Amino acid sequence: MLLATLAHVSQEVAATSARSRKIALLAGLFRAAGPADVPVVIPWLAGRLPQGRIGVGWQALKDPVPAADTATLTIREADDAVTALAAVAGPGSQAERRRLVQALLGAATGEEQRFLIALLSGEVRQGALDAVAGEALAQATGAPSADVRRAVMLAGSLQSVAERLLADGPDALAEFRLTVGRPVLPMLARTAGSVAEAVEKLAPCAVEEKLDGIRVQVHRRGDAVRVYTRTLDDITDRLPEVTAAALALEGDRLILDGEVIALDADGRPRPFQEVAGRVGSRTDVAAAAVAVPLSPVFFDVLAADGEDLLDLSYAERRTTLDRLVPEPMRVRRVVAPAPDSAEAAEFWRATLGRGHEGVVIKALDTPYSAGRRGAGWVKVKPVHTLDLVVLAAEWGHGRRTGRLSNLHLGARQPDGSFVMLGKTFKGLTDAMLEWQTTRLKELALDDDGFTVRVRPELVVEIAYDGLQRSTRYPAGVTLRFARVLRHREDKRAEDADTVETVLGT
DNA sequence: TTCCGACAGTGGGGTCGCAAT
DNA sequence: ATTGCGACCCCACTATCGGAA
């Protein structure tokens, strides 16, 4: 199949907003693809490279390359070129990658170039990722979409399901079962504003500690242990403590779901940044493990003695977890039998008092919804707010093109100047974007085409989760997960919060 | 007809490893 | 030694489609 065919379909998918039309377009292309093209066509149209990380980003793609006049490039040839790119390493690799990228783009027409650049930079943005592509796959093959979805969760990727499905038909889906050693997409939680609100919806439910670390899925079969992240990357080699902990358990053929955190001598959790740094360290794991020892803490079990527990209720899975995992390695929790239970509020206070991030409220009767943001899990974290001053704004991309989007946030200093604490683009409705674009243009000092600096007069109310250490910003801290609540036209810059106030929180 | 679940998009900061300077 | 880049951790929130109620 020619790359031009695929690039054109991608463009059509991007051009329509109707999800049903996107699915029909993708399904048509999947049907037309030959068996040899399928392993490439499916991930490409879900916006992903089968080779994974290849070391090419916007920097390697920014130089324009003259386009070919006619479309001759095949999908196979383009895929081979990407494979060659992924293999480049060592001194001179950046230049070599750049050369290979330019050769590939030089063989492509304009439309093909646009698709390849989007694909290589991870910005296909056609309004269709795995879920929509999976739906199209079901349509193209006649398999029930619920079965395709379940197979994808259990396989951890669309691609492997697609290959089996297109080669052997819908019957092949039955082979995708929960298997110890093969990671499944983890269940995620939604957000609620308060514990009372969440318990109201979910009772009878449990309230669990929410630990601020790295999510892990631990598989153990005999002496073989593997540890996977939320995106199913294998990080076993970086977490020897987790392997040791898993081997010390009674049960076998296990899959456990939990979080790794770092604890001080007095049992209080250390900052997320330290945990992330530790998990990211791979060159000298032994030294890193001495500096920041990690503790795995589990909250769910997906398989025990090789048996699939996904469809059991949370209450039943938790009973199994309590049997298999000793108490210090399980998250603390209480059960709130009714919406007005006093236990929930008390547990929330105690959890925050111990220095943890928040709580997760879990309905007792829900199964493990792999890969979903299931309604059965709801997280609640404390929210702080500040009034800060907009110092500058950046022009948006995609659907925010032409709007000033990303705001630079400043806190007041005693001498009347401002110190930048971070940026945010979150929380803005289309109407707010429209309004702030107009307002900030009135305040503009200069515009370099990327950032518009403004007179520091517009006050915004910002919500955030807490402070974290920063080397990027002058105060030495930045806001974690800052988002805009509202513009405060009723406030002047002199009314904004000071750096002292921020640091005092 | 209205409501709501699922999905995609728009990016934030930090940290590590590697290559280039 | 320092800097720049890419990858991958953590993540909040809004808009939209289309099926459920």
Side-chain angles (χ1 to χ4, degrees):
Chain A
M1 181 183 277
L2 284 176
L3 176 61
T5 311
L6 185 147
H8 187 66
V9 168
S10 172
Q11 194 279 321
E12 283 187 288
V13 170
T16 178
S17 64
R19 202 168 292 158
S20 49
R21 174 87 184 125
K22 291 179 192 288
I23 290 166
L25 284 164
L26 293 177
L29 193 77
F30 294 165
R31 277 194 215 98
D37 289 329
V38 163
V40 179
V41 168
I42 301 268
W44 280 15
L45 281 172
R48 224 198 347 263
L49 288 166
Q51 290 86 355
R53 55 186 123 110
I54 62 168
V56 172
W58 65 274
Q59 196 56 238
L61 295 166
K62 70 178 193 308
D63 297 328
V65 177
D69 293 328
T70 53
T72 56
L73 203 53
T74 65
I75 286 171
R76 297 284 298 286
E77 288 163 351
D79 180 53
D80 288 345
V82 174
T83 302
L85 266 170
V88 177
S93 59
Q94 271 183 29
E96 174 65 4
R97 272 197 290 268
R98 205 167 290 210
R99 196 185 64 72
L100 290 172
V101 166
Q102 296 200 349
L104 173 61
L105 292 179
T109 64
E111 189 170 62
E112 291 169 336
Q113 282 192 354
R114 282 190 289 280
F115 177 77
L116 286 171
I117 290 170
L119 184 67
L120 292 173
S121 61
E123 297 181 345
V124 170
R125 290 186 167 92
Q126 57 185 12
L129 296 173
D130 267 9
V132 169
E135 199 67 36
L137 182 67
Q139 200 172 95
T141 58
S145 74
D147 294 359
V148 173
R149 177 190 288 270
R150 185 172 172 85
V152 170
M153 287 162 194
L154 295 174
S157 83
L158 176 66
Q159 201 188 337
S160 52
V161 173
E163 285 173 29
R164 295 285 290 118
L165 195 51
L166 287 155
D168 302 319
D171 291 345
L173 291 182
E175 290 169 28
F176 289 95
R177 282 187 290 268
L178 186 69
T179 308
V180 178
R182 190 165 65 184
V184 299
L185 297 172
M187 180 169 174
L188 307 172
R190 300 178 188 195
T191 310
S194 74
V195 173
E197 175 197 322
V199 171
E200 172 75 33
K201 274 211 185 96
L202 298 182
C205 57
V207 185
E208 287 185 351
E209 292 172 323
K210 185 178 192 307
L211 307 178
D212 194 11
I214 305 285
R215 183 87 175 259
V216 286
Q217 189 177 107
V218 179
H219 292 238
R220 174 184 159 191
R221 180 166 39 197
D223 290 340
V225 175
R226 307 299 328 170
V227 184
Y228 303 94
T229 65
R230 191 161 98 76
T231 50
L232 310 189
D233 284 324
D234 187 332
I235 53 169
T236 311
D237 295 341
R238 290 177 244 168
L239 304 180
E241 304 99 317
V242 177
T243 300
L247 288 175
L249 298 176
E250 291 296 326
D252 190 20
R253 289 181 296 156
L254 285 172
I255 304 176
L256 297 169
D257 191 3
E259 192 94 358
V260 287
I261 56 172
L263 295 171
D264 277 336
D266 59 2
R268 288 184 73 83
R270 291 164 74 167
F272 169 77
Q273 286 164 295
E274 291 187 28
V275 182
R278 166 61 209 280
V279 173
S281 300
R282 48 182 109 201
T283 46
D284 191 351
V285 171
V290 170
V292 184
L294 295 176
S295 307
V297 187
F298 298 106
F299 49 73
D300 215 320
V301 53
L302 315 191
D305 297 324
E307 200 137 328
D308 177 345
L309 308 181
L310 292 177
D311 291 325
L312 295 186
S313 71
Y314 161 74
E316 292 171 293
R317 297 196 311 277
R318 179 69 197 208
T319 301
T320 302
L321 184 77
D322 291 351
R323 181 166 56 79
L324 295 171
V325 177
E327 197 258 318
M329 257 196 282
R330 305 192 302 254
V331 295
R332 295 185 184 86
R333 66 159 201 168
V334 292
V335 172
D340 54 355
S341 309
E343 296 92 329
E346 175 50 34
F347 186 79
W348 157 262
R349 276 191 297 275
T351 298
L352 297 182
R354 282 192 291 265
H356 292 302
E357 189 186 18
V359 298
V360 185
I361 292 103
K362 298 182 175 178
L364 295 181
D365 61 358
T366 51
Y368 191 91
S369 314
R372 315 294 288 280
R373 216 166 269 288
W377 289 11
V378 176
K379 58 183 167 181
V380 182
K381 296 188 284 185
V383 176
H384 308 95
T385 61
L386 290 170
D387 289 325
L388 299 174
V389 177
V390 178
L391 306 178
E394 295 170 14
W395 291 107
H397 296 87
R399 66 185 305 281
R400 292 188 174 188
T401 300
R403 308 266 170 77
L404 285 170
S405 172
N406 198 6
L407 302 176
H408 296 200
L409 306 170
R412 197 158 54 85
Q413 291 192 292
D415 65 359
S417 67
F418 296 92
V419 57
M420 186 170 171
L421 287 178
K423 308 180 190 179
T424 185
F425 55 90
K426 295 178 181 130
L428 297 160
T429 64
D430 286 1
M432 288 162 80
L433 280 165
E434 194 66 46
W435 182 87
Q436 78 178 21
T437 301
T438 305
R439 181 75 187 107
L440 291 170
K441 277 180 173 172
E442 293 167 5
L443 299 174
L445 294 170
D446 56 55
D447 178 359
D448 64 7
F450 181 74
T451 303
V452 177
R453 281 199 316 127
V454 299
R455 295 202 304 275
E457 294 177 19
L458 177 61
V459 176
V460 283
E461 187 177 346
I462 298 294
Y464 66 105
D465 278 16
L467 298 176
Q468 56 185 350
R469 213 193 310 282
S470 173
T471 54
R472 178 178 311 211
Y473 294 108
V477 296
T478 187
L479 306 179
R480 192 164 180 210
F481 308 137
R483 58 267 190 193
V484 178
L485 294 178
R486 54 185 170 147
H487 297 115
R488 293 299 301 262
E489 277 228 282
D490 55 317
K491 293 209 172 190
R492 297 163 306 156
E494 304 92 274
D495 303 323
D497 283 306
T498 61
V499 182
E500 286 73 16
T501 308
V502 175
L503 295 176
T505 56

